[in-house]
Amino acid sequence: CLVSLGGLVLTLSNRYRRKASIWIQRKLYDEKYDYRGQWIVFSERLADAGDKESVVRAALLSFCTTFGRVGAFFIPVDKDSPDRGGAGVYYEVDEASARSISPEEYAPLLSLPPVPRTMEDRADGAVSPVLAEKLAAMDVSLFLPILAAGKAEGVIFLGRPIDGREQYDMEDFELMEAMGRQVGLCVRSFRQSEELATAREVEALGKLGTFVLHDLKNQVYTLSLLMDNARRFISDPIFQKDMLETLGNTIANMNILITQLTHLPTESNMRLEPTDLHDLAVKACGSLPDAALSVSGKHPVVAVDQEQICKLFTNLCLNAVEASQGK
């Protein structure tokens, strides 16, 4: 029964599991850690992570389990202000205390070389007395600047050792540094992926803006023709009837455009149906009645969304008309 209870306690407490692991390693092995095994576990944890925050959490767990630390947290570089710290990732620490440290207090640490430093090593004044006091209150006793390709990605802070008598040697610090480099590369990779995704979204928005501009030009072109003719035929009842019909159609088209901007066309909502492209091109040219346009060629039938392709043909025709004006 006592054995079962002890096993349950070890299962439920990461801290006790780490402490037991350190005790076993101290008693049974000449070396403090199985560095090869620890590196394999660390690499597997990073490989299983699916996003930047998961990578950091896996790294913090590995730092704590490998070096027997009570808690850790990571402060990344703020991508909008590279000389400041951003929102952190926390593992078994008091988040409220960690969040109370301002980006300005973290900033000097981001320019340090990527080597582990104890709190006794104040890094040539990079750790201010105020920051040192806050970190001491959180039992932080070691920190490691994280770099990738020579640029800062953040800082990892490690809590006090589980065993206060434990001493770290050069191999320990070399392993910490190697793990830090790996974390930096992973964080940088995910961050660049996020930046690339954002750039693609901006590019897509730019392309969408181009299509919207063409559609608006079509409506403005129609209204411009209507205005020119109104100056000459506004008193003609037949023209008045046609003008009202044209205005109604233009308003309807603009409402459709607004709806489409709200629900952008995708593969799932396009209405594909067999369509004669020649006849569709003739229809598109007909929407520009005062333009000298003609359509010739074969009559291929393909499955398309007629509304979208008709808009495409109309935009091409309008471009041709605008480019040929005055020639």
Side-chain angles (χ1 to χ4, degrees):
C1 182
L2 290 177
V3 173
S4 300
L5 180 60
L8 178 61
V9 171
L10 289 176
T11 301
L12 296 177
S13 172
N14 285 330
R15 184 174 303 175
Y16 287 135
R17 285 209 307 273
R18 292 198 298 269
K19 192 169 184 178
S21 176
I22 293 170
W23 183 87
I24 293 172
Q25 289 165 352
R26 183 183 295 114
K27 297 298 182 181
L28 300 181
Y29 298 98
D30 293 330
E31 292 186 356
K32 183 162 52 177
Y33 301 117
D34 173 12
Y35 291 101
R36 180 176 179 276
Q38 294 290 350
W39 182 261
I40 291 174
V41 172
F42 169 69
S43 300
E44 289 175 346
R45 284 173 177 160
L46 294 189
D48 290 338
D51 53 48
K52 184 170 64 177
E53 183 172 339
S54 297
V55 161
V56 174
R57 289 191 181 280
L60 296 180
L61 172 61
S62 289
F63 270 98
C64 289
T65 55
T66 301
F67 302 106
R69 312 299 291 200
V70 180
F73 63 100
F74 173 75
I75 300 299
V77 170
D78 185 343
K79 66 178 182 179
D80 296 323
S81 302
D83 58 340
R84 295 159 56 105
V89 180
Y90 309 95
Y91 176 74
E92 291 190 358
V93 297
D94 183 358
E95 292 190 23
S97 299
R99 293 179 187 277
S100 68
I101 304 176
S102 68
E104 289 75 13
E105 292 171 325
Y106 288 126
L109 306 183
L110 299 173
S111 60
L112 296 176
V115 295
R117 300 174 183 272
T118 64
M119 293 310 299
E120 288 74 20
D121 176 9
R122 295 299 177 83
D124 300 325
V127 181
S128 66
V130 174
L131 177 58
E133 182 179 351
K134 291 182 178 181
L135 293 176
M138 299 175 61
D139 287 332
V140 170
S141 59
L142 188 147
F143 66 92
L144 173 63
I146 302 298
L147 275 69
K151 295 184 178 180
E153 292 296 335
V155 183
I156 287 179
F157 296 88
L158 301 177
R160 62 177 174 81
I162 295 176
D163 186 346
R165 299 170 298 172
E166 187 171 10
Q167 298 295 320
Y168 293 96
D169 56 25
M170 185 59 65
E171 286 184 324
D172 294 313
F173 288 116
E174 287 178 350
L175 179 58
M176 289 183 190
E177 187 175 346
M179 291 171 66
R181 287 196 298 268
Q182 192 70 14
V183 172
L185 291 173
C186 290
V187 170
R188 183 175 181 82
S189 177
F190 276 108
R191 182 168 60 80
Q192 289 179 331
S193 296
E194 292 172 356
E195 292 172 353
L196 179 61
T198 300
R200 286 175 174 171
E201 290 176 359
V202 172
E203 181 183 5
L205 184 61
K207 291 180 178 180
L208 174 62
T210 300
F211 282 110
V212 172
L213 181 62
H214 275 297
D215 287 340
L216 289 176
K217 278 185 176 181
N218 290 341
Q219 309 310 317
V220 171
Y221 181 81
T222 301
L223 293 175
S224 177
L225 291 176
L226 186 63
M227 180 65 70
D228 290 341
N229 290 330
R231 291 189 177 97
R232 293 178 293 171
F233 308 111
I234 190 62
S235 59
D236 187 340
I238 297 178
F239 174 78
Q240 292 175 5
K241 180 180 178 181
D242 291 340
M243 180 182 68
L244 291 175
E245 183 178 350
T246 302
L247 287 174
N249 291 336
T250 302
I251 292 173
N253 289 336
M254 296 187 75
N255 283 330
I256 292 173
L257 177 59
I258 292 172
T259 301
Q260 289 176 338
L261 289 176
T262 305
H263 306 285
L264 296 178
T266 64
E267 291 183 3
S268 61
N269 61 24
M270 283 188 176
R271 294 177 298 177
L272 302 180
E273 52 186 322
T275 303
D276 186 317
L277 293 184
H278 182 280
D279 294 344
L280 199 61
V282 171
K283 178 181 178 182
C285 291
S287 65
L288 305 173
D290 287 2
L293 298 171
S294 61
V295 178
S296 61
K298 298 181 179 180
H299 291 252
V301 177
V302 295
V304 298
D305 185 310
Q306 292 188 14
E307 183 177 348
Q308 299 300 325
I309 298 302
C310 186
K311 287 167 58 177
L312 174 63
F313 284 156
T314 303
N315 290 336
L316 291 174
C317 292
L318 183 57
N319 285 344
V321 170
E322 292 178 344
S324 62
Q325 287 178 349
K327 295 183 180 180

